[in-house]
Amino acid sequence: MTIQQVLLLLLLWMWLPHPCHTEMLFRRTPDLRPKTFVGRASGNDGKTIHRQKRGWMWNQFFLLEEYTGSDYQYVGKLHSDQDKGDGSLKYILSGDGAGTLFIIDEKTGDIHATRRIDREEKAFYTLRAQAINRRTLRPVEPESEFVIKIHDINDNEPTFPEEIYTASVPEMSVVGTSVVQVTATDADDPSYGNSARIIYSILQGQPYFSVEPETGIIRTALPNMNRENREQYQVVIQAKDMGGQMGGLSGTTTVNITLTDVNDNPPRFPQSTIHLRIPESSPVGTAIGSVKATDADTGKNAEVEYRIIDGDGTDMFDIVTQKDTQEGIITVRKPLDYETRRLYTLKIEAENTHVDPRFYYLGPFKDTTIVKISVEDVDEPPVFSRSSYLFEVHEDIELGTIIGTVMARDPDSASSPIRFSLDRHTDLDRIFNIHSGNGSIYTSKPLDREISQWHNLSVIAAEINNPKDTTRVPVYVRILDVNDNAPQFAVFYDTFVCENARAGQLIQTISAVDKDDPLGGQKFFFSLAAVNPNFTVQDNEDNTARILTRRNGFSRHEISTYLLPVVISDNDYPIQSSTGTLTIRVCACDSRGNMQSCSAEALLLPAGLSTGALVAILLCIIILLVIVVLFAALKRQRKKEPLILSKEDIRDNIVSYNDEGGGEEDTQAFDIGTLRNPAAIEDKKLRRDIIPETLFVPRRTPSAPDNTDVRDFINQRLKEHDTDPSAPPYDSLATYAYEGNDSIAESLSSLESGTTEGDQNYDYLREWGPRFNKLAEMYGGGESDKDTS
């Protein structure tokens, strides 16, 4: 605790009545008998209840918080006027903190606090006191309530809800502009003394800002603070209690203040004149360059709009404002020509789009610059006289006829000669050609409007001195129609006449089509090539005609089919005509004229099946029979084929004997000549290259004794295999597993080596001579099968 706090506590102690001298007396009334008030109340039993008048009066106890003494703090004394001092009375305390925080001496009535009390936790305590007779335990005074109020001391410093505040204020604000308000709180009692009376002051941030002592409102203290000079400020505010007097407690907070931007700076071009260059071949819309005016402001206050306000190139160029970079992009508006004009001058203005009226006096908020654009000469490609060409030509012109001419020139001052060519991708059939010198287009193949009415060509022009620079132009060739096609029947007509037909009966209505397309439309004429006694043609004069009978009755047994040639002509020049033949069948019809059957053959065929359908059915049956015959032949041929078809098939020619022999000195060795003995060959053997039709259970024969001759052993095994058709795998690969008798090398087989418990040692094979070198290399010095498996 500081010296100021100690002095303050002493002053408070002297000013307030000391709690140790506080004594509550219980004053009895002169008459000890119970007295009643005027008011009465009836109990449940009908008797009158008398209210006894209280024999003591209470005042509040006061206790100072944060007691630091080593003994219990004395609160006050309870005393009854019936207390004779002989110890017959007992004082009892109950309520808030009784027995724990507050204790009472049963004999004297002295109340003490057992620990330090913090007013900020609880400002007052309500307790009840009673005096009873120690012997009878009956109360001598009614129970009464009293309050112990905690007097506050300045033991809490002011605190801010936030350690760091963030605020902003527009730049160029007038003095006294409110920035932000900070508020501190004090846990001490605001209704008692000045412990919670807070005064604000500024410790850091002067002379730019000030703070109101009572409210904590921070305001600007200097005029015309410019964000472009300084943007961030840090202000430290102190809150002090006790009205800011000496000895008060204090707390601080930091306020970071940012000056926000206002439009108080006009845009300015860094240069009064800007030079740009552009090739004359730049297409419309090409960006030449950019201009930018700098503005010290930020955000929308720095937004600038660019425009061309004067100059001799206002119609040739445009300027577009780029919002993200705040640049003015100059673009080409019309095609440039070095030979026409080589230098353009533009006057460009940059102006703020958001102007603050308060700062008009700092303006004007715009600036101008001069932009000079130089056009550079380039070797330009040829230029055609037109953007496209359209030529019309009749389809009957002769080969080599010129259909039109394209013209191009070199726009450069050098005026180089031009060479023309056709893009063959647009004329794959090579119907046209072009004269490379003068651009005349002529035909190289006949034209036919009915195949293609339009031809879209592309003509290429290039300078002879610079063939890489080319220009293309579309050429549209329209083929005009010439009457060079004769009319024909519109469709194939399946015409019939009933046997019971009468003269003048309509049997068919025909029409025609023509590939030509005359300007006045098509007009066809129908007539007979010769007078026909059976039928006639009547032209309807609407490009159709009717076929009528000229006599009564027809017989399909006499004539089943009639051929009627009809001549069809058009009316264009030159007139084209063709002869179409109608095939008219004679059919049997019912009374209504509905066809039932045609020709004599149709009488034998089932209804609903035509001759073509029957032919198709017969062909399908023949094809199926051929497939069945071929399949049977292939199956029979496959059964006759031998098992071995080529040298690569080794199913029947692998014989393994697994015997090296002992050379000439080994008399016990196997004699290969024994296998060639004709006596060992059986006369009758079963086929081994096919699976037998019936499988027999394989027979198990007893193994040959150890002293059996090799020849007998092999013959016996051959006989067993030959007579056993069920022995897999039905080929001649067989293992006889015979090593011979009394070999000095004993058994060389490794078939049973895997069943032994220990490792096999074959180093002794190296001592048997060169004939066993191969076995020594294979088995000697290596690990056993058991180890390597």
Side-chain angles (χ1 to χ4, degrees), residues 170-184:
E171 63 174 335
M172 309 297 291
S173 297
V174 298
V175 175
T177 301
S178 175
V179 180
V180 69
Q181 182 179 14
V182 293
T183 304

Side-chain angles (χ1 to χ4, degrees), residues 31 53 84 97 102 137 143 151 153 178 208-209 279 299 315 320 350 413 429 492 497 569 734 738-739 762:
D31 190 359
K53 188 176 180 180
K84 306 300 183 179
F102 300 103
L137 299 180
E143 185 182 50
H151 269 312
I153 64 171
S178 175
Y208 307 103
F209 299 95
D315 60 336
V320 179
S413 56
D429 296 330
F492 173 77
V497 61
S569 305
Y738 187 83
E739 292 183 335
Y762 299 99

Side-chain angles (χ1 to χ4, degrees), residues 364-560:
F365 287 86
K366 62 178 66 175
D367 195 16
T368 59
T369 186
I370 301 298
V371 178
K372 294 184 177 182
I373 302 174
S374 300
V375 180
E376 297 179 343
D377 186 26
V378 295
D379 190 6
E380 298 177 81
V383 178
F384 284 95
S385 59
R386 301 179 189 174
S387 59
S388 63
Y389 292 87
L390 173 62
F391 301 134
E392 293 184 346
V393 60
H394 287 88
E395 61 178 327
D396 60 345
I397 62 172
E398 298 180 358
L399 296 181
T401 302
I402 295 176
I403 64 173
T405 302
V406 297
M407 293 182 293
R409 64 177 181 84
D410 184 6
D412 297 323
S413 56
S415 186
S416 300
I418 306 299
R419 182 175 181 176
F420 299 93
S421 61
L422 274 175
D423 185 355
R424 288 304 175 186
H425 292 90
T426 61
D427 184 26
L428 297 176
D429 296 330
R430 295 182 175 271
I431 300 175
F432 302 94
N433 212 335
I434 189 170
H435 194 281
S436 61
N438 57 22
S440 299
I441 301 175
Y442 56 91
T443 59
S444 59
K445 288 184 179 181
L447 302 177
D448 190 350
R449 188 199 67 86
E450 286 69 40
I451 296 178
S452 179
Q453 186 176 355
W454 286 91
H455 294 273
N456 301 325
L457 308 177
S458 180
V459 177
I460 303 172
E463 297 179 12
I464 296 179
N465 299 331
N466 186 15
K468 293 184 178 180
D469 261 350
T470 61
T471 305
R472 293 172 177 264
V473 67
V475 177
Y476 308 105
V477 181
R478 181 182 180 184
I479 309 301
L480 302 178
D481 185 38
V482 175
N483 192 24
D484 57 348
N485 292 277
Q488 297 177 350
F489 283 129
V491 295
F492 173 77
Y493 294 102
D494 185 13
T495 307
F496 70 93
V497 61
C498 295
E499 289 182 315
N500 57 358
R502 294 173 295 176
Q505 184 175 344
L506 174 65
I507 63 173
Q508 185 70 59
T509 299
I510 60 175
S511 62
V513 293
D514 195 336
K515 295 181 180 179
D516 296 322
D517 188 14
L519 296 177
Q522 299 284 3
K523 180 63 178 176
F524 303 120
F525 302 95
F526 301 89
S527 62
L528 292 179
V531 178
N532 191 294
N534 302 309
F535 306 97
T536 184
V537 175
Q538 183 177 354
D539 196 335
N540 296 329
E541 297 183 357
D542 60 354
N543 293 339
T544 63
R546 297 185 295 171
I547 307 298
L548 305 174
T549 58
R550 295 189 66 181
R551 65 183 179 88
N552 295 328
F554 294 86
S555 177
R556 55 178 169 162
H557 299 288
E558 296 177 0
I559 300 176
S560 62

Side-chain angles (χ1 to χ4, degrees), residues 586-660:
V586 180
C587 301
C589 303
D590 56 14
S591 59
R592 296 182 179 180
N594 297 323
M595 181 183 65
Q596 292 181 339
S597 62
C598 298
S599 73
E601 296 177 359
L603 297 174
L604 303 176
L605 299 176
L609 290 178
S610 63
T611 305
L614 291 175
V615 172
I617 292 173
L618 291 175
L619 287 176
C620 292
I621 294 174
I622 293 172
I623 292 172
L624 289 175
L625 291 175
V626 171
I627 291 174
V628 171
V629 172
L630 290 176
F631 181 81
L634 290 174
K635 186 174 182 180
R636 183 177 301 174
Q637 184 178 359
R638 186 180 301 172
K639 289 183 178 180
K640 293 180 180 181
E641 290 179 354
L643 183 62
I644 300 176
L645 300 178
S646 63
K647 294 181 179 180
E648 280 77 8
D649 197 337
I650 58 173
R651 290 176 296 174
D652 287 319
N653 57 0
I654 297 179
V655 179
S656 176
Y657 300 101
N658 295 330
D659 197 309
E660 288 187 345

Side-chain angles (χ1 to χ4, degrees), residues 24-45:
M24 294 297 126
L25 300 178
F26 302 99
R27 297 175 183 171
R28 296 290 295 174
T29 57
D31 190 359
L32 296 180
R33 293 176 299 173
K35 295 183 179 180
T36 61
F37 292 103
V38 177
R40 295 184 179 180
S42 299
N44 295 332
D45 54 359

Side-chain angles (χ1 to χ4, degrees), residues 26 81 86 138 206 218 222 326 332 424 502 548 716 720 752 768:
F26 302 99
D81 56 0
D86 55 359
R138 291 185 177 182
Q206 295 174 331
I218 302 174
L222 282 182
Q326 290 299 304
V332 179
R424 288 304 175 186
R502 294 173 295 176
L548 305 174
Q716 182 180 356
E720 292 175 1
E752 297 182 355
W768 289 1

